[in-house]
Amino acid sequence: MIAIGNFFFRYRNWIFILFYAALFIPSRPLFSEEIFGGCYYCWPICLGLLITVSGQLIRGATIGLAYIVRGGSQGKPYAEGLVTDGIFNHCRNPLYVGNILMLLGVGILANSLLYIAVVIPVFLFIYQSIVLAEENFLRGKFGTGFDAYCKSVNRWIPRISGMGKTFGSMKFNWRRWILKEYNTQYVWLSGITLILLLKYPALTGNNPECRNTLLAAILPVLLLLYLLVRYLKKSGKMKE
């Protein structure tokens, strides 16, 4: 698993995008009109948005409170230090938990049985292998300090107790959240927009012109916001 994780670690930045694109593979529905009635689409929309927004909130809280400087060096795990503050005091991999919830949520939003039954399990396997590879590296670098951290903090399931104290004792860095997340936010919001407007014609009164007008209005705005943040970051006019 560690070897598999090291392999996928090299391409981890593409994994989220590729699995996001898989949302548009044709599939049988999770919620059908035959079983759930004429307003069947309320179930995937409400449940999917609740889960995927929860994932983004977890990522936002993690990055805004105590961002971990961990990445890759020559395609291998790398970390400057062992960060245990913020959300990392409640879960060892909150960013990955956020990603999982984001993809699970949009999979439900897309009303795709194939995505939930096949794609999500594959995604979980890949992330588990990546985490094992990262933990192998961290254990080798930080030794007993990392072992002690593992004993007190869960790998996947966040510990809710003390969460209020964590938020109350730290300042949220919203600039860091925007600068670190604008790529993910753009892909995520664009995907949600496409799913809602293309998958559920009832939301626009079964009017293709209304749907196309909304697409033509929302997608360019998202692109402009993305380009604006990118410019501010690259030019140094917006810093953490």
Side-chain angles (χ1 to χ4, degrees):
M1 285 291 286
I2 292 175
I4 294 173
N6 282 325
F7 170 79
F8 282 116
F9 183 87
R10 302 174 190 173
Y11 310 103
R12 68 196 184 284
N13 292 331
W14 290 98
I15 289 175
F16 186 85
I17 296 176
L18 291 175
F19 276 82
Y20 212 71
L23 288 165
F24 300 94
I25 298 175
S27 167
R28 293 182 60 182
L30 273 172
F31 303 91
S32 65
E33 185 175 0
E34 292 76 15
I35 297 176
F36 291 89
C39 293
Y40 74 95
Y41 53 86
C42 293
W43 289 93
I45 291 176
C46 293
L47 184 59
L49 287 177
L50 176 64
I51 294 175
T52 194
V53 170
S54 296
Q56 180 52 229
L57 290 176
I58 290 174
R59 284 188 59 87
T62 302
I63 295 170
L65 291 179
Y67 184 66
I68 187 168
V69 183
R70 184 188 300 174
S73 178
Q74 298 180 348
K76 298 179 180 180
Y78 166 81
E80 291 185 359
L82 185 61
V83 177
T84 60
D85 297 328
I87 306 301
F88 290 99
N89 188 40
H90 300 268
C91 176
R92 301 206 305 264
N93 300 283
L95 292 173
Y96 289 163
V97 170
N99 284 348
I100 291 169
L101 290 176
M102 286 173 69
L103 281 183
L104 176 62
V106 292
I108 295 174
L109 181 65
N111 201 19
S112 173
L113 179 61
L114 173 68
Y115 200 85
I116 299 302
V118 178
V119 177
I120 289 296
V122 173
F123 185 71
L124 292 175
F125 171 79
I126 291 175
Y127 259 29
Q128 175 72 0
S129 65
I130 289 176
V131 165
L132 291 177
E134 289 182 340
E135 289 184 350
N136 182 63
F137 165 80
L138 294 171
R139 185 169 285 108
K141 183 170 184 176
F142 301 108
T144 56
F146 181 70
D147 288 332
Y149 174 59
C150 290
K151 290 180 180 179
S152 61
V153 179
N154 295 330
R155 175 184 287 155
W156 292 112
I157 307 300
R159 175 171 49 82
I160 303 301
S161 62
M163 194 73 74
K165 181 179 179 181
T166 296
F167 278 94
S169 63
M170 303 184 72
K171 182 179 179 181
F172 185 80
N173 188 333
W174 64 270
R175 287 186 178 86
R176 179 167 62 205
W177 171 55
I178 292 175
L179 293 174
K180 296 292 185 182
E181 278 290 89
Y182 74 97
N183 282 306
T184 301
Q185 290 276 19
Y186 172 66
V187 173
W188 180 61
L189 291 173
S190 296
I192 288 176
T193 300
L194 290 171
I195 291 171
L196 288 174
L197 294 178
L198 297 179
K199 191 81 174 182
Y200 304 106
L203 295 179
T204 52
N206 295 295
N207 186 337
E209 291 185 5
C210 178
R211 177 201 64 197
N212 294 338
T213 299
L214 288 173
L215 286 172
I218 297 173
L219 293 179
V221 169
L222 292 176
L223 179 59
L224 287 174
L225 289 174
Y226 166 81
L227 293 174
L228 174 61
V229 175
R230 181 178 175 83
Y231 165 74
L232 293 174
K233 178 179 180 179
K234 297 299 182 181
S235 65
K237 294 183 177 181
M238 185 177 183
K239 299 180 179 179
E240 297 181 22

